[in-house]
Amino acid sequence: DAGITQSPRHKVTETGTPVTLRCHQTENHRYMYWYRQDPGHGLRLIHYSYGVKDTDKGEVSDGYSVSRSKTEDFLLTLESATSSQTSVYFCAIAEGPTYNEQFFGPGTRLTVL
Amino acid sequence: AQTVTQSQPEMSVQEAETVTLSCTYDTSESNYYLFWYKQPPSRQMILVIRQEAYKQQNATENRFSVNFQKAAKSFSLKISDSQLGDTAMYFCAFMSGETGNQFYFGTGTSLTVIP
């Protein structure tokens, strides 16, 4: 499972509140990713990181920010949650000589009421 | 941006039979990687098989094999001797080997194996 954990695994929150999801890995992987999964859309990339303090936007980054102050932790923050951000969020890492093998965490189900 | 298309939202197959899931993609690059991921009801994403675009030989992993047609930009997954445990969502994915390490996923095919 590439040593990836996500917390919390489930969260219910209200519109307008800040939310932070944590991805933790134990194997010193350089690349880390945050995706959201919605019916009919598959997985869509929110943000990714290619090293400590090195991050970049994905295709659905609006309303989300990320931080990576340590190799092992990649945080996803919803500054002011909206109902459209109700989704399942997956963290992933990439490994291999050209970082083309991606492995996923167990996912976090977030409900914004 | 790259696009990945899975045109079969749902499929079913009898146990022990063979099924093929379709995937097409759009890219102007010549160096890239293609993947099939499986997502069972547990929600865990599991890498099934990977293909490097520069390799002409189709990848195989036990009962799973691909038909990679680079000119047609097609990457189908064949599951032989289908088992009940193959029931899952299957996602096709693309990763550029030239413009960074972003992955692009299709919308998925829900496969049901019927006893």
Side-chain angles (χ1 to χ4, degrees):
Chain A
D1 65 359
I4 307 166
T5 57
Q6 293 184 230
S7 59
R9 294 293 312 279
H10 300 87
K11 186 171 181 67
V12 180
T13 191
E14 294 191 349
T15 297
T17 60
V19 176
T20 296
L21 308 183
R22 180 184 183 232
C23 178
H24 180 77
Q25 52 118 340
T26 59
E27 299 182 9
N28 206 33
H29 298 294
R30 177 183 173 191
Y31 281 86
M32 299 183 74
Y33 303 78
W34 277 108
Y35 293 91
R36 60 178 289 174
Q37 182 179 25
D38 304 289
H41 290 278
L43 278 82
R44 292 179 292 174
L45 182 65
I46 304 171
H47 283 279
Y48 70 103
S49 170
Y50 46 95
V52 173
K53 298 186 179 178
D54 292 322
T55 64
D56 206 349
K57 296 179 179 180
E59 62 178 309
V60 291
S61 60
D62 287 348
Y64 301 94
S65 63
V66 290
S67 66
R68 193 168 179 201
S69 59
K70 299 184 291 185
T71 298
E72 57 266 35
D73 288 326
F74 191 33
L75 305 181
L76 177 70
T77 298
L78 292 65
E79 300 291 347
S80 178
T82 68
S83 59
S84 65
Q85 293 175 312
T86 292
S87 187
V88 178
Y89 291 86
F90 284 95
C91 174
I93 61 91
E95 61 180 29
T98 53
Y99 303 102
N100 60 24
E101 296 184 35
Q102 193 166 76
F103 298 93
F104 288 81
T108 294
R109 181 176 293 278
L110 175 67
T111 302
V112 183
L113 302 175
Chain B
Q2 326 296 341
T3 58
V4 179
T5 302
Q6 293 179 251
S7 58
Q8 306 153 314
E10 296 181 357
M11 294 188 72
S12 61
V13 62
Q14 290 290 139
E15 192 175 7
E17 297 295 309
T18 296
V19 64
T20 299
L21 309 183
S22 300
C23 174
T24 59
Y25 57 94
D26 186 22
T27 184
S28 58
E29 300 176 8
S30 59
N31 180 24
Y32 52 88
Y33 304 87
L34 297 164
F35 310 84
W36 279 98
Y37 282 85
K38 169 185 177 181
Q39 187 180 41
S42 68
R43 207 169 65 194
Q44 181 68 47
M45 292 286 288
I46 302 165
L47 177 63
V48 174
I49 200 165
R50 179 186 65 172
Q51 174 82 41
E52 291 90 345
Y54 64 85
K55 290 187 177 180
Q56 293 187 334
Q57 186 174 7
N58 289 325
T60 62
E61 286 288 344
N62 301 313
R63 297 182 295 107
F64 299 88
S65 62
V66 298
N67 184 4
F68 174 46
Q69 301 290 327
K70 190 171 184 178
K73 298 180 182 176
S74 170
F75 183 61
S76 60
L77 175 69
K78 185 171 81 171
I79 306 174
S80 304
D81 185 25
S82 296
Q83 301 175 359
L84 297 179
D86 295 333
T87 292
M89 282 288 289
Y90 287 82
F91 292 96
C92 180
F94 169 101
M95 191 201 99
S96 168
E98 300 176 7
T99 58
N101 289 80
Q102 293 197 39
F103 286 70
Y104 299 88
F105 286 80
T107 53
T109 296
S110 177
L111 177 68
T112 300
V113 180
I114 302 167

